[in-house]
Amino acid sequence: MSEAAAAATSEREALCLRKVRPAYEQVAEQLREQIIDGTLRAGDRLPSEANLLRSFGVSRSTLREALRVLAARDLVQTVRGVNGGTFVSEVHASKVSSYLETSLGLMSGNDRISVQEILEARETVEVPAARLAAQRADADQVTALLAAGKRQTARNFERQRFEKHATFHTIVVEASGNRLLAMMNEPNFRVLGSRFRRSDMPESWWRDVDSDHLVIGEHIAARRADEAAEAMKSHLDRLRVLYLPMEGRG
C-alpha cells in the first residue's frame, strides 16, 4: 500500500463514528453524577418529567428507562400521590453493608476474590480502628468492650464462642467513631465467618484468642493507642489459621 493510500485509510479510521451508549444509559449516568457530586442530595425531588424531557431532549420512554436503571441501583425511588414524584434515595449503612456482604460472598464463591484478600482488607480496617478506639471510645463503649472480653473466658460451644468473638470486634470498630470503617468491616467479617471459618479449633487456641481480647480491651481502656493497634495486629495474625485452611473449598 502506498503512503498516500495508507494515510487516507488512517484518516477514515480516525473519523469513523464510534459506538456510544444508548441514550437512556447516558441520561442515567448524568443523573448519577449529580447525585454523587451533591447537586442532587438524599431526599431531593427530581425535576418534573416535563422539565427532564426538555433538559435532556429525549423521549418519555428513554427517560423512564433511565429512571428504572437508577431505581434498580437504589439511587432513586418513586412515590405516588399528590405529594409524590421521584426522589433521591436515603441510603442507610445497613443497606450498604448488606450489599457489600452479598457481593463479597458471590465474588469469593467464584474465586474472584480470595480469603487472603479479605483478611488483608480486614487488617487494614481493624488495626487503625483499635488505635482510634483507644483515642475516642466513650465510657460505655470501654465498659462494653471489657465485658465482652471477660465473658469469653468461660467455656462455650464453638458457635457461641465465635459469636462472642464477633461481638468484641464489632465493639472495637464502633468505638473507633468512624462509621465508614464499621460499614466496610462487617461484610468482611460475616463472609469470613459464614464461608471460610473452621470448626475444629482446639480449646487452647480459643483461650489464646480470649487472652488477646482482654489485652486489646485493656490497652483501649488505658488510652494506649499504639499498643492497642499492635495488639490487634498480633491478634489478627493469630486468627488467620481460623480461615486460611478453608480457601478454595467454596
Side-chain angles (χ1 to χ4, degrees):
M1 180 184 296
S2 66
E3 290 185 6
T9 299
S10 177
E11 183 177 358
R12 284 196 300 272
E13 290 176 349
L15 293 174
C16 68
L17 290 175
R18 291 180 174 83
K19 187 176 181 179
V20 297
R21 290 179 297 175
Y24 77 87
E25 288 187 4
Q26 295 183 64
V27 172
E29 179 60 22
Q30 286 183 242
L31 288 172
R32 187 186 74 87
E33 288 175 356
Q34 291 185 42
I35 293 171
I36 291 174
D37 68 20
T39 301
L40 292 170
R41 299 185 179 184
D44 283 354
R45 187 204 305 264
L46 267 62
S48 67
E49 183 177 81
N51 286 337
L52 288 172
L53 290 174
R54 283 197 298 272
S55 297
F56 288 110
V58 296
S59 67
R60 181 173 282 103
S61 61
T62 295
L63 176 62
R64 291 181 176 176
E65 183 61 27
L67 294 179
R68 278 194 287 271
V69 169
L70 295 176
R73 299 176 184 174
D74 287 329
L75 292 175
V76 302
Q77 56 185 343
T78 299
V79 177
R80 306 297 178 186
V82 178
N83 296 318
T86 300
F87 297 83
V88 179
S89 297
E90 296 277 358
V91 179
H92 299 285
S94 59
K95 181 180 289 188
V96 175
S97 186
S98 177
Y99 175 80
L100 286 175
E101 180 183 356
T102 301
S103 299
L104 282 173
L106 289 171
M107 293 174 72
S108 61
N110 292 332
D111 295 326
R112 295 180 62 186
I113 190 168
S114 69
V115 65
Q116 175 69 24
E117 290 171 303
I118 298 176
L119 289 170
E120 288 174 356
R122 181 183 176 189
E123 181 179 309
T124 301
V125 170
E126 290 201 38
V127 171
R131 176 179 282 106
L132 290 172
Q135 298 168 344
R136 300 174 177 175
D138 60 33
D140 289 341
Q141 288 170 328
V142 169
T143 298
L145 193 60
L146 293 175
K150 291 175 182 177
R151 279 198 300 270
Q152 295 172 81
T153 58
R155 185 179 180 88
N156 294 288
F157 291 113
E158 191 272 339
R159 178 179 176 82
Q160 292 176 322
R161 298 204 74 150
F162 186 81
E163 290 173 352
K164 295 177 185 296
H165 168 73
T167 298
F168 176 86
H169 285 265
T170 297
I171 296 172
V172 171
V173 178
E174 288 178 350
S176 75
N178 188 311
R179 288 168 290 184
L180 184 57
L181 292 181
M183 195 186 309
M184 294 164 56
N185 200 54
E186 280 299 305
N188 281 0
F189 198 95
R190 287 195 293 265
V191 170
L192 284 170
S194 63
R195 192 172 191 89
F196 298 109
R197 176 167 55 95
R198 292 175 57 182
S199 59
D200 60 347
M201 302 306 294
E203 178 66 21
S204 60
W205 185 85
W206 281 110
R207 283 198 297 269
D208 289 338
V209 168
D210 295 343
S211 178
D212 287 350
H213 286 180
L214 288 174
V215 170
I216 295 167
E218 288 168 357
H219 284 316
I220 290 174
R223 306 300 180 184
R224 295 189 290 262
D226 289 341
E227 290 86 344
E230 290 171 6
M232 180 61 81
K233 174 65 169 63
S234 297
H235 176 56
L236 294 178
D237 287 342
R238 184 192 304 282
L239 292 179
R240 284 178 173 270
V241 297
L242 181 61
Y243 306 108
L244 284 175
M246 295 292 291
E247 185 170 11
R249 298 186 188 181

